Amino acid sequence: MNNKAKIEVSNEYLYVLYKAKNTLWHFINQLEKRSFDYNAVKFKDEKGIYVWLETVKYENNFFSGILPENNGKKNVSADGVIDWMLVEKGRLIGGYTIRFYRDSLSDEEKINFDIDFGLRIDNGNDFFKPDLSTPEGALISLENFYTEHSLEGALSCKDFYKEAINVLLETGKDVEEKLIQETAELLKLAFIENLQDNGMPNFKNVERVFNRIIYNKEEKKQLIEEKLIYDNGEEQINKFWISENEEKKWKILDLVE
């Protein structure tokens, strides 16, 4: 693995690191389940240079593996890992900093990069934990509950009160408590009625790629774009406002048309 590619730090790059950190659990989980054609983690060495550690194993919050520069053995704390990658049937999984660097290249440079790299680099698949600890995980949780036909589970991923505030602000109406409560109840009833009339969508075997469009730290909400890649090759892109509540849980608000 080439450890010499330079990357410019930006908000987009910081989101890439965020995605790598919050999907590291999947890398560990896969290492413990089966073997891959190639695996590696990226960390900062003693010289302050980010390098890859290959053919790693995981135990007690540490990765052990081989440094490609000198074939030396190395142990690295999982807390110090900024990226991970797997190769399965010639396909790159993870490798967020690699993808970010590739996206910065011109079309001609990308062709040369792909030839040198020798792997298939497609949309990817973001394996956030399906829980409410991240906005992306909240979306996955909602979609999993849809697939399981669990109305109660789907409702647990929503925040109709804050969605009501969003809707009222967008329509230019006064945000008064009584109106918020009434709107929230109407949104909840409409949500339930829509699922009962049209059924719940199925997200089985779907792959996902997330992108953060807006992060409003003051209001603790984010606009997240989700690209869905179905097993038949079809793609769908949706954008959702997602808000963090007082319990540090992220809940889905409204779909942005």
Side-chain angles (χ1 to χ4, degrees):
M1 177 60 57
N2 179 9
N3 286 319
K4 297 180 179 179
K6 293 184 178 180
I7 296 176
E8 181 180 349
V9 176
S10 61
N11 287 334
E12 291 77 13
Y13 179 64
L14 293 177
Y15 184 64
V16 162
L17 297 184
Y18 161 86
K19 292 211 291 184
K21 177 182 178 181
N22 283 281
T23 56
L24 183 62
W25 74 276
H26 175 77
F27 175 76
I28 295 171
N29 182 270
Q30 293 301 300
L31 283 183
E32 295 173 343
K33 283 185 176 180
R34 55 200 176 101
S35 61
F36 288 83
D37 299 335
Y38 176 88
N39 69 68
V41 295
K42 193 174 189 179
F43 70 102
K44 182 185 288 188
D45 67 9
E46 293 81 0
K47 298 178 181 178
I49 300 173
Y50 288 105
V51 298
W52 289 93
L53 186 69
E54 301 179 333
T55 318
V56 300
K57 295 181 180 180
Y58 178 80
E59 186 176 3
N60 297 327
N61 203 46
F62 276 85
F63 292 101
S64 60
I66 304 297
L67 292 168
E69 286 79 5
N70 55 20
N71 288 324
K73 294 182 180 180
K74 181 75 175 177
N75 293 329
V76 176
S77 168
D79 298 331
V81 168
I82 69 159
D83 197 5
W84 60 270
M85 64 175 288
L86 296 168
V87 176
E88 183 176 32
K89 297 180 181 179
R91 181 194 185 193
L92 175 66
I93 303 171
Y96 289 96
T97 54
I98 296 171
R99 296 176 187 276
F100 182 82
Y101 173 73
R102 180 180 180 275
D103 287 343
S104 70
L105 303 176
S106 66
D107 290 342
E108 183 177 349
E109 289 171 331
K110 285 180 182 176
I111 293 173
N112 293 328
F113 179 88
D114 291 348
I115 293 172
D116 292 339
F117 197 60
L119 297 176
R120 178 164 62 94
I121 305 178
D122 52 20
N123 288 288
N125 193 5
D126 294 334
F127 295 96
F128 284 84
K129 281 187 178 181
D131 59 28
L132 305 181
S133 63
T134 64
E136 299 83 1
L139 264 176
I140 296 174
S141 294
L142 176 63
E143 291 162 358
N144 285 349
F145 284 127
Y146 282 154
T147 302
E148 297 165 4
H149 300 282
S150 172
L151 177 58
E152 182 179 355
L155 288 171
S156 73
C157 297
K158 294 281 293 179
D159 188 330
F160 295 104
Y161 183 86
K162 288 190 176 180
E163 181 178 353
I165 294 175
N166 251 19
V167 171
L168 292 171
L169 287 173
E170 289 173 0
T171 56
K173 295 183 179 180
D174 293 334
V175 183
E176 298 177 353
E177 183 61 28
K178 182 180 178 181
L179 186 56
I180 295 173
Q181 295 286 357
E182 291 174 350
T183 305
E185 186 61 29
L186 289 173
L187 288 170
K188 181 178 180 179
L189 291 173
F191 178 79
I192 295 173
E193 183 178 341
N194 177 61
L195 293 178
Q196 290 175 338
D197 291 346
N198 301 308
M200 297 192 186
N202 191 324
F203 292 89
K204 185 177 181 181
N205 297 326
V206 72
E207 296 190 350
R208 303 170 174 89
V209 179
F210 294 99
N211 186 29
R212 180 190 291 153
I213 307 300
I214 298 173
Y215 187 2
N216 188 326
K217 292 185 179 181
E218 183 177 344
E219 298 183 13
K220 296 182 179 180
K221 67 179 184 180
Q222 299 185 28
L223 180 61
I224 296 293
E225 178 186 87
E226 179 189 40
K227 177 188 284 188
L228 299 168
I229 305 102
Y230 296 91
D231 51 10
N232 63 1
E234 292 185 4
E235 297 182 359
Q236 179 183 358
I237 296 178
N238 297 313
K239 296 177 183 178
F240 294 88
W241 279 109
I242 307 174
S243 178
E244 186 182 34
N245 64 18
E246 292 73 16
E247 300 174 348
K248 302 294 183 182
K249 293 182 179 180
W250 290 89
K251 298 292 188 85
I252 313 300
L253 307 186
D254 42 327
L255 172 68
V256 179
E257 301 293 344

